[in-house]
Amino acid sequence: MLLSIFAAAVMAFNLNTADVKFYHNTKEESDFVLTTTVYEEAGGLLKNRVKTQCTYDKANQLISKETLRWNTVNEEWENSYRYEFSYSDKGYTIIYAVWNKNVRQYVPAKKTECQDSIMDDALMVTTYQWNNQSNSYETVGTPMLMHQDNFLYAGIK
């Protein structure tokens, strides 16, 4: 029963979006993606939809990926969310922050720490959720040991 409801929902979604076409414009420098803009075709015209901006450190590691959404009313790009990446000898950390219009800045939401394990090709992964009352990250669940696949996170080596 649940499977048939899910299948019907997926089919309805696909039928409603079958005519929607998206186009991507990517700007690169030295084989690194700097920006990607997604356009939606509507009435024979391309309309702004989403833009991502990437920055890298001197070691050519991805340090931030910011997503902006097009505001059709104001006709301008608006901040949406951002990933921040930091690296150490033992692994890396990914921080996810969302744009808060009221305070006009990114506010923390989630954090993931990935540290090399003593086992080959394994990572110890710990996830955190931001707690507004304590103004700090709190662990979600228990740390997990995961197989490391170099292709999971683009730009992270």
Side-chain angles (χ1 to χ4, degrees), residues 30-87:
S30 303
D31 294 329
F32 292 98
V33 174
L34 299 179
T35 62
T36 299
T37 306
V38 178
Y39 302 94
E40 179 180 350
E41 183 180 8
L45 300 173
L46 296 180
K47 295 184 177 183
N48 290 329
R49 180 77 179 238
V50 176
K51 181 189 285 190
T52 59
Q53 302 174 141
C54 299
T55 56
Y56 302 85
D57 62 14
K58 291 179 182 178
N60 294 326
Q61 295 175 315
L62 181 65
I63 57 172
S64 73
K65 183 176 181 181
E66 181 178 28
T67 298
L68 300 100
R69 298 198 183 280
W70 183 253
N71 181 321
T72 56
V73 175
N74 298 336
E75 294 190 347
E76 63 186 12
W77 293 107
E78 292 183 344
N79 296 342
S80 184
Y81 60 90
R82 178 174 66 196
Y83 289 95
E84 296 173 2
F85 305 86
S86 59
Y87 307 87

Side-chain angles (χ1 to χ4, degrees), residues 64-121:
S64 73
K65 183 176 181 181
E66 181 178 28
T67 298
L68 300 100
R69 298 198 183 280
W70 183 253
N71 181 321
T72 56
V73 175
N74 298 336
E75 294 190 347
E76 63 186 12
W77 293 107
E78 292 183 344
N79 296 342
S80 184
Y81 60 90
R82 178 174 66 196
Y83 289 95
E84 296 173 2
F85 305 86
S86 59
Y87 307 87
S88 71
D89 293 340
K90 295 183 180 187
Y92 55 90
T93 300
I94 304 169
I95 295 177
Y96 171 71
V98 294
W99 184 255
N100 183 315
K101 291 180 182 181
N102 297 330
V103 296
R104 303 192 44 81
Q105 67 182 16
Y106 285 102
V107 295
K110 297 179 183 182
K111 177 170 79 167
T112 302
E113 291 179 342
C114 302
Q115 295 185 348
D116 291 335
S117 176
I118 54 175
M119 299 170 58
D120 290 336
D121 297 326

